[in-house]
Amino acid sequence: WRCASNGRILLSSEAVARRELGAAGGFNGQNQLKLESKTMTETSVTPSRHVTLFHSPQTRSSGVLTLLEELGADYELHVLNMKKNEQRGAAYLAINPMGKVPAIMHNGALVTEQVAVYTYLADLYPEAGITPTIGDALRGPYLRWMAFYGSSFEPAFVDKAMKREPG
């Protein structure tokens, strides 16, 4: 929220999601997601841009990991072992009931779906200049092509790679 009179960011609470990883890394089905609430006052507070990425190698989340690196983002990586079915464990399903990656957590907000995550992160780091800002005439075409990628291009690409017949 922004204060109407001075434009400063006001946060009454910030949910910070965190959990402890086991020595083996990743979710083990016994890890718990913990939410903490922090109260802040109306001072010039810059919200944290720390992001937690829930990732599994050789999946769509690899593109998000690459984007985080390109942005120089402040992030924490939680690796899920899909071969051990960790994405279907209760701990991860509490975060993303669809059991899919990528998923990011930022200031208590969960963002899933690859294109939504890309857009969210690009907006979170506007100084990187990789996306037109809101109000820019190029924002509409940018959003159109981002949606096209996720809804049309990538499925067609996967169908071709899998040698599926059109139709």
Side-chain angles (χ1 to χ4, degrees):
W1 293 316
R2 288 193 181 272
C3 178
S5 63
N6 62 21
R8 284 189 259 170
I9 295 176
L10 301 174
L11 298 173
S12 59
S13 68
E14 176 186 56
V16 179
R18 64 182 174 96
R19 64 164 181 77
E20 302 289 324
L21 287 176
F27 282 88
N28 62 17
Q30 297 172 353
N31 297 324
Q32 298 294 316
L33 177 68
K34 299 176 184 176
L35 295 178
E36 295 176 354
S37 179
K38 295 180 182 176
T39 302
M40 298 182 161
T41 60
E42 186 204 342
T43 56
S44 290
V45 176
T46 303
S48 170
R49 295 197 298 178
H50 181 80
V51 171
T52 301
L53 170 62
F54 298 91
H55 166 70
S56 184
Q58 300 176 344
T59 67
R60 287 180 175 95
S61 65
S62 296
V64 176
L65 181 58
T66 301
L67 178 59
L68 287 166
E69 288 293 322
E70 287 297 317
L71 293 170
D74 175 20
Y75 72 93
E76 179 178 348
L77 186 63
H78 288 278
V79 178
L80 295 158
N81 185 335
M82 290 194 165
K83 290 180 182 177
K84 293 183 179 177
N85 219 21
E86 290 178 344
Q87 79 280 9
R88 298 287 180 213
Y92 187 64
L93 291 176
I95 294 166
N96 185 356
M98 293 178 68
K100 294 172 40 178
V101 293
I104 62 167
M105 185 72 73
H106 172 247
N107 287 340
L110 173 67
V111 183
T112 63
E113 301 305 318
Q114 185 181 38
V115 171
V117 172
Y118 288 161
T119 305
Y120 188 94
L121 291 172
D123 288 346
L124 188 60
Y125 286 87
E127 70 277 7
I130 65 169
T131 180
T133 58
I134 294 173
D136 186 311
L138 294 175
R139 182 72 177 192
Y142 159 76
L143 291 173
R144 179 186 68 229
W145 286 111
M146 289 298 286
F148 178 80
Y149 171 79
S151 64
S152 300
F153 178 78
E154 187 178 277
F157 185 80
V158 169
D159 283 347
K160 181 142 179 90
M162 301 292 292
K163 299 182 182 353
R164 295 180 186 145
E165 291 296 320

